Amino acid sequence: MNIKYLQHLKDNPVAYPNDTELQFKIKGIPESEIQQLELTWNNGNLFPQALKELLFLAGDFCYVCDYGPNDSQQEIQEWIKRAYGR
């Protein structure tokens, strides 16, 4: 995926690069999973480019975002739907 908006995150994938034990490296999800999320949770409409980049670069783990106790983006969406009735 071409990164247009989140180049700084792409260029800095580790929160603590000088710490050999605790680095907090970002971990993304594949484009195929992003496409499935668009189908399931956005009625097949494409996500904004910046969101797609965030998911691609750090959709599984990000030292900037807090995904809570959820294990996947799918779980996050299900939690939001239950919590807010959407």
Side-chain angles (χ1 to χ4, degrees), residues 1 7 9 11-12 17 24 26 28 30 37-40 46-48 50 55 57 62 64 70 72 77 80-81 83:
M1 172 179 291
Q7 191 65 44
L9 182 62
D11 293 343
N12 297 279
F24 290 120
I26 59 174
L37 289 168
E38 289 172 326
L39 286 172
T40 305
L46 299 178
F47 290 150
L55 293 171
L57 293 171
C62 183
V64 178
N70 303 289
S72 69
Q77 293 299 321
I80 293 294
K81 188 174 180 179

Side-chain angles (χ1 to χ4, degrees), residues 8-50:
H8 188 74
L9 182 62
K10 180 183 176 191
D11 293 343
N12 297 279
V14 177
Y16 306 109
N18 296 326
D19 189 331
T20 57
E21 293 181 26
L22 184 67
Q23 290 193 332
F24 290 120
K25 184 174 181 164
I26 59 174
K27 182 179 178 189
I29 60 175
E31 288 184 74
S32 59
E33 188 173 336
I34 296 168
Q35 292 168 349
Q36 186 60 48
L37 289 168
E38 289 172 326
L39 286 172
T40 305
W41 300 106
N42 206 29
N43 298 321
N45 297 312
L46 299 178
F47 290 150
Q49 183 63 29

